[in-house]
Amino acid sequence: MKQNATGFLELNNLASALESADQMLKAANLDFIKQIKIGPSSFVLLIKGDAPSVEAALIAGEASAKRSGSFLVSQLVEDLDPAVEQYIFQEAVQ
Amino acid sequence: MTNSICIIETRSLALSSQVLQQILRSKKIDLLSLQIPGDGSVISFICGEYSEIKSAMESASAISKSSTSYFGQKIITKPDEKLFDLLQLKRSTPAKTEVIKADKKRISTKKTITIDSTPSKESVFDDFEPIKAGEAEIPSDSIEQNRSVRKSLPKTEVKKEKTDEAVHQPFKGRSDNPTIARLKKEALGIKENDNDLIKSVTNVNETENEGNGPADLEQLKKFNVHKLRRFARSFNGFPIKGREISRANREELLNYFKELI
């Protein structure tokens, strides 16, 4: 299936972020997952895949983050602009 | 025409990407840069025509209202050239698709350059064709050259070959020497008649082994210890072997032969 969806899950705790990442990977078949630290206590989990998988993963990750009280934002973006994607993934690689 | 830039600051990467997704739907707006300083904020710079940016930001602010994260934006019309240097931005960016295409081209040219600069192993053997057995044609010149080389070989080399043969087979020439053969017979105590006896016994033994016939014990009794040992070594299926034969005396050897025959 075409990979056209990008998911963002922001948390304020690294341990919770890792737990959520585990839950997301278990919930759906994802081909790409990265963690970006955007602030002193702000972590973003970036996932990529087909829209249903990303949505399922985000739901699982959000539930896990809410249980630990570290949830900030979750967002699903379909067909992300290539320029934005390039910048974001560049940051993710760094 | 890029006559204005816009700076968008959010506290969420998710919100920032969502807003940019909405803004960049307009073909007349380009993304200059997206920076994550590390203090929790995400700053993005866009450029384009003022009217386009203005309308895009209105839709973006509508999206940001649904989020609890901070959203700030500022449009600068006709920015000074030095401002680009201050913000470390590119002065003009080509269209998005063109940027991607250019990157792809760059990668492909790099690949071709590396292939050209380093010749592959296959290219080294391109000129060679495998020769099948029986199809190989040996040029007549090379045969003539080999013959001439053989003719021109010095005699010392021929002598060397002979000496090598002598090293590998040291007793080949000596056995033919009649004096050495005579001395050998004397050492073993063999007479001409005894030799005939051994031959006859061995023949009998061979026939015995082949056809299980009886061997002549009387002839064996005439042998001395040396002959018996020698015969025992050549006898197939003799109960003792090697050192045991050399240690055994005449009577013991005869007893073994009696048992066998």
Side-chain angles (χ1 to χ4, degrees):
Chain A
M1 193 176 279
K2 194 183 173 184
Q3 292 178 10
N4 55 359
T6 311
F8 301 87
L9 180 68
E10 290 192 17
L11 307 99
N12 60 11
N13 191 320
L14 180 62
S16 313
L18 293 173
E19 192 190 356
S20 298
D22 180 51
Q23 291 295 325
M24 287 201 293
L25 286 166
K26 283 171 183 170
N29 186 22
L30 302 169
D31 284 345
F32 184 89
I33 181 160
K34 281 281 174 186
Q35 179 209 310
I36 312 167
K37 189 183 178 186
I38 61 165
S41 60
S42 184
F43 303 92
V44 180
L45 290 170
L46 192 69
I47 57 170
K48 219 179 159 188
D50 56 286
S53 298
V54 171
E55 196 172 355
L58 280 176
I59 289 163
E62 195 178 322
S64 173
K66 278 178 179 171
R67 272 200 301 275
S68 60
S70 59
F71 174 75
L72 293 174
V73 182
S74 78
Q75 187 66 49
L76 170 70
V77 182
E78 284 191 55
D79 293 322
L80 191 65
D81 192 272
V84 182
E85 196 174 8
Q86 190 183 341
Y87 275 108
I88 289 171
F89 284 87
Q90 198 177 343
E91 289 288 337
V93 169
Q94 284 172 2
Chain B
M1 186 183 173
T2 58
N3 57 5
S4 56
I5 61 168
C6 180
I7 302 137
I8 305 157
E9 187 179 350
T10 64
R11 294 279 174 190
S12 163
L13 183 64
L15 177 64
S16 187
S17 61
Q18 198 182 2
V19 166
L20 285 171
Q21 176 73 4
Q22 179 65 31
I23 292 165
L24 293 172
R25 278 179 185 166
S26 169
K27 290 179 181 175
K28 291 176 183 175
I29 300 172
D30 287 327
L31 179 69
L32 285 176
S33 176
L34 188 143
Q35 296 173 3
I36 302 170
D39 62 342
S41 61
V42 181
I43 303 160
S44 43
F45 298 87
I46 55 167
C47 67
E49 286 182 21
Y50 178 78
S51 58
E52 288 286 331
I53 288 176
K54 188 75 179 169
S55 61
M57 290 316 296
E58 279 172 8
S59 60
S61 59
I63 293 165
S64 66
K65 277 176 188 172
S66 62
S67 173
T68 53
S69 299
Y70 168 78
F71 176 82
Q73 51 98 4
K74 187 71 184 172
I75 301 168
I76 303 169
T77 52
K78 295 181 182 177
D80 194 87
E81 289 289 316
K82 287 177 185 175
L83 189 69
F84 286 94
D85 297 330
L86 183 71
L87 297 169
Q88 296 177 346
L89 297 172
K90 295 170 195 173
R91 286 169 198 278
S92 60
T93 54
K96 293 166 264 178
T97 50
E98 285 176 5
V99 170
I100 293 156
K101 279 179 185 174
D103 287 338
K104 281 181 182 175
K105 275 182 184 175
R106 215 177 294 153
I107 292 159
S108 63
T109 48
K110 274 182 186 174
K111 277 183 182 174
T112 50
I113 287 161
T114 50
I115 288 160
D116 291 335
S117 61
T118 55
S120 64
K121 285 182 182 177
E122 289 176 5
S123 65
V124 176
F125 298 103
D126 279 344
D127 299 333
F128 296 96
E129 289 179 3
I131 301 163
K132 291 177 184 175
E135 290 181 1
E137 291 179 5
I138 302 160
S140 58
D141 298 340
S142 66
I143 295 164
E144 285 174 6
Q145 281 175 1
N146 284 334
R147 280 176 186 166
S148 64
V149 167
R150 279 187 186 178
K151 281 176 187 174
S152 65
L153 275 173
K155 289 179 181 177
T156 51
E157 287 187 8
V158 178
K159 281 180 184 175
K160 273 184 183 177
E161 285 177 2
K162 281 185 178 177
T163 52
D164 289 339
E165 281 179 1
V167 167
H168 291 301
Q169 297 172 347
F171 302 107
K172 194 184 175 184
R174 288 179 193 179
S175 62
D176 298 335
N177 196 343
T179 52
I180 290 165
R182 186 172 52 78
L183 287 167
K184 207 186 268 181
K185 282 173 188 172
E186 281 176 9
L188 293 167
I190 301 168
K191 293 174 186 176
E192 289 296 322
N193 297 329
D194 294 341
N195 212 5
D196 293 336
L197 268 173
I198 288 167
K199 279 179 183 175
S200 65
V201 170
T202 49
N203 288 334
V204 167
N205 189 34
E206 281 170 14
T207 52
E208 182 210 340
N209 287 337
E210 286 169 11
N212 295 323
D216 200 351
L217 259 176
E218 288 179 3
Q219 284 180 344
L220 284 170
K221 280 175 186 174
K222 289 175 187 174
F223 285 3
N224 61 8
V225 187
H226 301 290
K227 288 174 206 169
L228 281 171
R229 281 173 185 163
R230 195 176 150 196
F231 183 56
R233 285 194 183 97
S234 64
F235 196 89
N236 289 332
F238 199 74
I240 54 170
K241 283 178 184 176
R243 283 285 177 91
E244 288 175 351
I245 291 171
S246 56
R247 281 172 192 164
N249 58 22
R250 191 169 172 275
E251 286 176 8
E252 286 172 356
L253 288 168
L254 282 170
N255 288 332
Y256 280 123
F257 277 118
K258 276 176 191 172
E259 286 172 13
L260 285 167
I261 296 163

